Amino acid sequence: MLYQLRQREYLLEISRAMTSRLELGSVLRLILTYAAEMVGAEVGLIALSEPDGSLVVKASYGIPAHLLPSFAPLLTDIPRLVNLQQRTGWQIPDLHLRLQAVAAAIGMSLDQVISLPLAVDDELLGVIYLFRSGSVAFSHDDRRLLSAFAAQAAIAVRNARLYSELVAEKQRLDAVIENSADGIMILGPDLRIEMINRALLRMTGWSREKALGRPYHEVLALQDTSGKDLHEIEDLERELPRQGTVYVEGELSRKAGSRLVVGVRYTPLWDEAGRLRNIIVNVVDITRYREAEEMKTTFISIISHELKTPVALIKGYATTLAREDAHWDEETLREGLRVIEEESDRLNSLIDNLLDASRIQAGVLKLDLGDVNIPQLVHQVVERFSTQTDRHQFEVDFPDDYPIVLADEERLRQVLNNLISNAIKYSPDGGVIRVGGWADDEWVTVYVADQGIGIPVEEQSRLFQRFYRVDSSLRRKTQGAGLGLYLCKSLIEAHGGRIWFRSEPGKGSTFFFSLPRN
């Protein structure tokens, strides 16, 4: 009688302990320890079902870890269906024969065994095995008590498994959110931040510690918004959609002072009573898309102007010279034909630049490499430009031992043409244009220096971008599509070199490029 009271006390204690724990490993160890102590078992183990149907040992009692693989005979061909109303009738075929094989393999005296199914809703979650040595078998009372215990243990195992799955799922979700390239945060009904990921912290410049708990619009400070932002809505539960999202675009003011253009999507989550539970906020950096749109607009504007001007001149002069009611003298004809030729060359150059820009963007630009004498090439380019201006003087300065380089001569000519053309264009008052270079053991370097208007500091970081032209009054008076320096950079980098510049507004600019020495 005392033994039965002690067993009941065990059951109550176990029940309280199991319901207070959710970590699966801890629950399994607790179940096995109490089960063994209730019936005086010396050894025990719990094996749980895996998704593929196999049984794997998850907890042991009185068994050294290195001996666990020897218990494999007890884990195969196990009945999967459990009638919960007749749990005591659940049997493992040839259980004692399997026990003998295990005892022989591990060298332990295991003479008695009892197996208990852990089952919920007739689904086998696992099996408890308890072992004794000697001739005293497990009694009917032992089996009945353990059967009742196993029912509670199965519920505890299922709850612990569900909790483990929930924790794992939350960890996966947290990892996805934290490592998302887009900014994500979760707001409470009061619009305060409950969670914020790394990408959004990087966008806003806030730390996680300072951002959590703050009103979201202090962290996600949008300006010049298109659409109504969330904190401007007076009645969230009435105005937010029951399904769908609210989308806003705007400039994100950051602590560092710089700005990003972002698209923000607010997705409300409602509880069963229709009350606002949370708001999921997705923030996407669309600065590049905006820049691409602006570049597209700039491209259309520049190209339409740059194409229209030479075509109009060619058309005008050709129409004028072809008039049947006019008789032009030789000088007028020669001047008209010269303008047509120059504008045709300009049009052809623009088309070539556009094609080169397309090839570079597509990654199909090819170089025709050969030995190039850069000083000789520079003299050829300078001689051609010197006939086109009477306000500039050219100086060429290369050492006598300047080395021959392996390069594409026509592409280097294109680079020099662009750099010297810019030096002339942005030196409207004339001056000296110096072209020279030097060499060391690894690199050959070329420079083009002018005494022109220079480049504003705020413009310098964007100088090598496609279709970008320095913002100045001179830009409106000069021709160009903003492709020259972009092509120079791409061509020099295609040779394995680099290009850079130094400039001081009002005092001129110097452009350098270096190529690997053969």
Side-chain angles (χ1 to χ4, degrees):
M1 185 66 178
L2 182 62
Y3 179 64
Q4 291 177 345
L5 288 174
R6 180 56 181 156
Q7 287 179 329
R8 290 192 185 96
E9 290 176 4
Y10 259 129
L11 284 177
L12 289 174
E13 187 177 348
I14 292 168
S15 179
R16 287 193 296 267
M18 287 192 300
T19 54
S20 67
R21 301 192 185 191
L22 286 173
E23 195 276 317
L24 182 60
S26 175
V27 169
L28 294 176
R29 289 190 296 272
L30 184 69
I31 290 171
L32 191 55
T33 299
Y34 278 138
E37 290 179 358
M38 274 196 301
V39 295
E42 300 158 12
V43 174
L45 61 84
I46 294 179
L48 296 185
S49 297
E50 295 293 302
D52 62 0
S54 63
L55 284 174
V56 176
V57 175
K58 297 294 184 179
S60 63
Y61 177 85
I63 305 173
H66 69 278
L67 295 180
L68 290 176
S70 299
F71 285 79
L74 297 171
L75 307 179
T76 57
D77 300 324
I78 305 299
R80 296 290 162 183
L81 296 178
V82 182
N83 187 330
L84 296 181
Q85 303 302 320
Q86 300 176 354
R87 188 187 299 271
T88 54
W90 183 85
Q91 296 292 333
I92 296 178
D94 303 320
L95 181 57
H96 282 84
L97 290 177
R98 300 182 191 212
L99 176 62
Q100 291 173 9
V102 171
I106 65 175
M108 292 178 64
S109 176
L110 299 180
D111 303 302
Q112 307 297 330
V113 61
I114 186 172
S115 60
L116 303 161
L118 294 172
V120 177
D121 297 331
D122 293 338
E123 175 192 359
L124 184 69
L125 303 180
V127 181
I128 301 176
Y129 287 101
L130 297 170
F131 307 91
R132 282 179 184 163
S133 60
S135 59
V136 180
F138 289 99
S139 68
H140 175 75
D141 287 340
D142 290 338
R143 295 179 182 276
R144 182 171 52 80
L145 180 65
L146 289 174
S147 179
F149 168 73
Q152 298 179 41
I155 294 173
V157 169
R158 184 184 64 174
N159 291 343
R161 269 194 161 179
L162 291 174
Y163 177 75
S164 296
E165 292 171 3
L166 181 63
V167 169
E169 189 63 31
K170 184 180 183 302
Q171 290 173 342
R172 284 193 292 268
L173 183 59
D174 288 345
V176 169
I177 292 175
E178 183 66 14
N179 295 289
S180 172
D182 296 334
I184 300 174
M185 63 180 171
I186 299 176
L187 310 180
D190 58 355
L191 301 186
R192 291 183 178 272
I193 299 172
E194 295 181 355
M195 190 283 298
I196 184 168
N197 76 339
R198 186 185 301 127
L200 190 50
L201 291 171
R202 187 167 54 248
M203 288 184 192
T204 60
W206 284 73
S207 67
R208 196 184 306 272
E209 294 74 17
K210 292 184 177 180
L212 291 176
R214 282 185 178 269
Y216 88 96
H217 63 273
E218 293 182 7
V219 176
L220 191 68
L222 296 182
Q223 299 180 359
D224 300 325
T225 57
S226 59
K228 196 173 184 180
D229 200 15
L230 206 62
H231 71 284
E232 299 172 349
I233 299 176
E234 294 181 1
D235 190 342
L236 292 174
E237 294 197 358
R238 182 174 59 84
E239 297 187 45
L240 284 179
R242 294 290 154 172
Q243 293 182 342
T245 61
V246 174
Y247 182 75
V248 176
E249 289 185 3
E251 289 188 356
L252 176 60
S253 179
R254 303 198 289 178
K255 282 193 167 185
S258 58
R259 293 181 181 272
L260 290 178
V261 182
V262 295
V264 185
R265 195 174 299 278
Y266 302 100
T267 305
L269 300 179
W270 308 92
D271 63 17
E272 294 178 355
R275 293 185 296 267
L276 183 62
R277 177 185 296 167
N278 289 109
I279 298 175
I280 310 300
V281 184
N282 294 87
V283 183
V284 181
D285 181 359
I286 59 173
T287 307
R288 290 187 178 180
Y289 298 107
R290 285 285 182 88
E291 290 177 348
E293 289 179 2
E294 292 175 2
M295 186 177 292
K296 180 181 177 182
T297 302
T298 303
F299 169 77
I300 294 173
S301 174
I302 291 174
I303 296 305
S304 61
H305 176 267
E306 293 298 321
L307 289 175
K308 190 175 182 180
T309 301
V311 169
L313 287 170
I314 292 170
K315 174 70 173 176
Y317 273 91
T319 301
T320 300
L321 295 177
R323 286 176 55 182
E324 295 182 358
D325 61 341
H327 300 282
W328 308 108
D329 57 63
E330 185 176 344
E331 184 177 349
T332 301
L333 286 171
R334 187 180 297 109
E335 177 62 19
L337 292 174
R338 184 188 65 79
V339 171
I340 290 174
E341 182 181 13
E342 286 181 354
E343 295 302 320
S344 297
D345 288 342
R346 177 183 165 192
L347 190 60
N348 186 64
S349 176
L350 177 59
I351 293 171
D352 285 342
N353 283 345
L354 288 172
L355 290 174
D356 283 341
S358 297
R359 293 188 187 102
I360 290 168
Q361 191 172 12
V364 295
L365 181 70
K366 294 184 179 179
L367 301 177
D368 183 13
L369 299 178
D371 290 340
V372 180
N373 186 323
I374 290 182
Q376 181 178 314
L377 178 61
V378 167
H379 278 288
Q380 294 173 2
V381 175
V382 166
E383 184 177 353
R384 183 174 71 84
F385 277 103
S386 63
T387 63
Q388 300 177 18
T389 176
D390 55 6
R391 288 186 296 175
H392 298 83
Q393 297 80 48
F394 291 90
E395 295 180 359
V396 178
D397 182 21
F398 285 92
D400 293 337
D401 60 348
Y402 198 86
I404 302 296
V405 297
L406 182 65
D408 185 324
E409 183 169 344
E410 290 307 309
R411 293 301 186 184
L412 290 188
R413 187 188 304 275
Q414 186 177 353
V415 171
L416 290 167
N417 281 337
N418 276 318
L419 294 180
I420 295 174
S421 174
N422 281 350
I424 294 172
K425 188 186 301 182
Y426 291 100
S427 302
D429 298 328
V432 176
I433 295 175
R434 300 187 307 279
V435 186
W438 67 86
D440 58 28
D441 293 339
E442 297 183 8
W443 302 92
V444 296
T445 301
V446 179
Y447 66 85
V448 177
D450 63 59
Q451 298 174 326
I453 63 174
I455 303 165
V457 175
E458 64 272 13
E459 306 273 343
Q460 294 183 7
S461 63
R462 303 177 60 188
L463 201 60
F464 291 104
Q465 294 179 5
R466 282 180 301 163
F467 309 121
Y468 182 76
R469 301 184 69 200
V470 172
D471 188 11
S472 68
S473 59
L474 185 60
R475 182 177 69 176
R476 294 186 289 273
K477 303 175 186 178
T478 57
Q479 302 171 354
L483 284 173
L485 290 177
Y486 167 74
L487 291 174
C488 288
K489 182 175 186 291
S490 300
L491 292 174
I492 293 301
E493 289 179 349
H495 281 83
R498 66 186 188 96
I499 187 169
W500 71 100
F501 67 92
R502 290 200 297 263
S503 181
E504 187 175 349
K507 295 186 179 181
S509 304
T510 303
F511 282 82
F512 307 83
F513 66 85
S514 292
L515 300 174
R517 184 166 180 169
N518 298 347

